[in-house]
Amino acid sequence: MPEPRELRIRTAVPDDGEGLALLDRLAWSHLHAVMPRPQPPYPPFFNERHTPEDCLVAELGDRLAGYVHLGFPTPVEANRHVRQIQGLAVSEEARGRGVGRALVRAAVDEARRRGARRLTLRVLAHNTPARGLYEAEGFVVEGILPEEFLLDGRYVDDVLMGRSL
């Protein structure tokens, strides 16, 4: 699917925090979330683990349409050549318009620009739309943690995926 002309990907700024937090809450689903549905008081979107510099934002026109967080999978120095997608969300109204694909591609480019040799992620086994997108963008299944999460009364596998850069 071609990317819409009005789509722009950029690095987040601190002022994006409130809008991204709202987008994140509206996009919440057991399809991808292992934490309970957010309840007030809501924590800030950006924190020590996820800073604006490690977040890429998608805009359609003048509206926030999605984001992707890039981070390190571990704090170990020997693992610094690997980056990890640690969150990706697309607003309901932007779905099906190439936003998720553009964010994944931007994450690949940004990880490569930062010197990473690999990019990894974790995705719930029942999230077939996300898994299809990641596979189409060159990610392969590298491991499965069977019944890693109990969500809505069902055990769900955690799928580890990765790709070389």
Side-chain angles (χ1 to χ4, degrees):
M1 165 180 292
E3 295 175 12
R5 280 194 302 260
E6 68 271 16
L7 178 63
R8 183 171 83 109
I9 308 288
R10 62 172 174 79
T11 302
V13 296
D15 286 347
D16 291 324
E18 195 171 312
L20 290 172
L22 177 60
L23 185 153
D24 206 39
R25 290 192 302 272
L26 293 173
W28 185 94
S29 162
H30 268 311
L31 186 62
H32 60 80
V34 297
M35 299 299 287
R37 182 178 298 277
Q39 300 295 320
Y42 301 115
F45 186 79
F46 296 118
N47 56 39
E48 310 78 43
R49 184 170 175 235
H50 293 118
T51 65
E53 299 79 29
D54 292 328
C55 183
L56 300 174
V57 172
E59 293 178 319
L60 278 172
D62 61 351
R63 297 179 58 106
L64 291 175
Y67 72 85
V68 62
H69 276 297
L70 274 178
F72 291 105
T74 73
V76 178
E77 187 62 34
N79 188 230
R80 301 306 267 184
H81 63 285
V82 179
R83 293 288 173 138
Q84 186 176 58
I85 292 176
Q86 295 180 336
L88 183 141
V90 175
S91 68
E92 185 71 37
E93 62 272 5
R95 291 184 188 155
R97 299 182 66 187
V99 174
R101 184 172 309 281
L103 283 166
V104 170
R105 289 178 178 175
V108 167
D109 291 345
E110 183 64 13
R112 189 180 288 126
R113 187 187 73 73
R114 293 183 183 198
R117 295 175 45 91
R118 289 182 30 77
L119 183 60
T120 64
L121 59 89
R122 296 170 69 167
V123 61
L124 296 174
H126 64 239
N127 192 346
T128 53
R131 289 182 65 183
L133 169 62
Y134 297 138
E135 287 169 2
E137 292 303 317
F139 289 83
V140 297
V141 173
E142 297 181 335
I144 297 175
L145 303 174
E147 298 184 351
E148 187 71 3
F149 299 104
L150 178 61
L151 304 173
D152 257 359
R154 289 185 33 223
Y155 289 100
V156 180
D157 296 349
D158 192 16
V159 180
L160 311 176
M161 300 182 79
R163 63 164 284 175
S164 297
L165 297 178

